[in-house]
Amino acid sequence: MDISIINAAETNGDVGIIIGDKNAKKTLVEFINLRCPFCRQWFLDHEKLLAKEVASGNLKRVIKLYNKDKESLQRGNVMHQYVTKGDEKKALADIKKIFLSQDLWGDLSLEAVAKFAEEDLKLENYTDELTQKAIVTEAQRANIQFVPTMILNDHIFDESISAETLLAYLNE
């Protein structure tokens, strides 16, 4: 990932799924797609560390479910509609449930993905086209092309960041 082309100043901490205290010391902006295996790796590998930082009041996470045109990621675009709005704990649980079942729905047709979300995962459709459009526009302005892309202060990184490096960034 070429981070030199990303303009982090074009991102914001207000649009997306907000996890934690809105006035936390640090804000982590996460552009992810629920079909992306690297996004799943990021989410699951750093879940406990990020939860601890949020619980301590040090971190606000802003998860931006980024709809992508790439054919293989369009299934994620469908799943984005099934993540709860307005309840951060349920939203995180929905995202985890979707990621853990990714291998079961990842190659289905778009219609079958929606059916899987509703029938197998027992999720409700929370379609929010305004938020989705805002996230896509924001990503384009910031020149974010790949998922996952994370921004924490002056640091831009992807799923390959180590827990040690992430913790160092959080403690700066």
Side-chain angles (χ1 to χ4, degrees):
M1 173 169 74
D2 180 7
I3 63 170
S4 68
I5 63 171
I6 295 174
N7 182 357
E10 290 292 335
T11 64
N12 70 71
D14 303 320
V15 176
I17 301 165
I18 297 175
I19 310 295
D21 183 350
K22 290 181 166 88
N23 299 312
K25 297 175 210 153
K26 308 265 183 190
T27 298
L28 173 64
V29 177
E30 306 170 51
F31 287 86
I32 64 172
N33 181 287
L34 295 177
R35 175 57 187 106
C36 170
F38 303 109
C39 295
R40 174 177 60 183
Q41 176 188 340
W42 156 257
F43 186 87
L44 297 175
D45 284 356
H46 301 288
E47 178 181 24
K48 288 185 175 96
L49 171 61
L50 295 176
K52 181 180 171 196
E53 291 295 312
V54 166
S56 76
N58 187 48
L59 180 67
K60 171 179 85 169
R61 294 176 71 183
V62 183
I63 299 173
K64 297 180 181 278
L65 300 175
Y66 185 14
N67 284 352
K68 298 288 288 173
D69 291 333
K70 186 176 179 183
E71 198 275 329
S72 63
L73 295 178
Q74 289 179 11
R75 288 152 187 81
N77 301 352
V78 172
M79 278 297 187
H80 295 165
Q81 301 170 42
Y82 291 91
V83 176
T84 303
K85 307 292 184 245
D87 179 340
E88 67 183 60
K89 288 182 181 170
K90 183 153 180 3
L92 283 173
D94 291 349
I95 291 169
K96 185 172 183 174
K97 184 187 289 191
I98 290 167
F99 274 142
L100 290 175
S101 64
Q102 191 182 73
D103 294 337
L104 301 174
W105 58 266
D107 294 321
L108 299 176
S109 70
L110 299 182
E111 297 79 17
V113 171
K115 184 176 177 185
F116 184 88
E118 292 170 12
E119 295 180 7
D120 294 72
L121 298 180
K122 307 293 186 216
L123 298 172
E124 293 180 47
N125 189 319
Y126 295 93
T127 300
D128 182 353
E129 291 179 23
L130 200 58
T131 298
Q132 287 301 322
K133 186 173 172 35
I135 291 169
V136 169
T137 301
E138 176 184 347
Q140 290 169 341
R141 275 194 328 266
N143 206 23
I144 293 171
Q145 299 173 6
F146 300 104
V147 289
T149 296
M150 278 65 74
I151 301 170
L152 177 64
N153 296 344
D154 298 331
H155 304 288
I156 302 169
F157 51 91
D158 62 16
E159 79 285 350
S160 63
I161 190 170
S162 69
E164 296 77 23
T165 301
L166 179 57
L167 191 56
Y169 291 169
L170 289 165
N171 290 321
E172 286 180 339

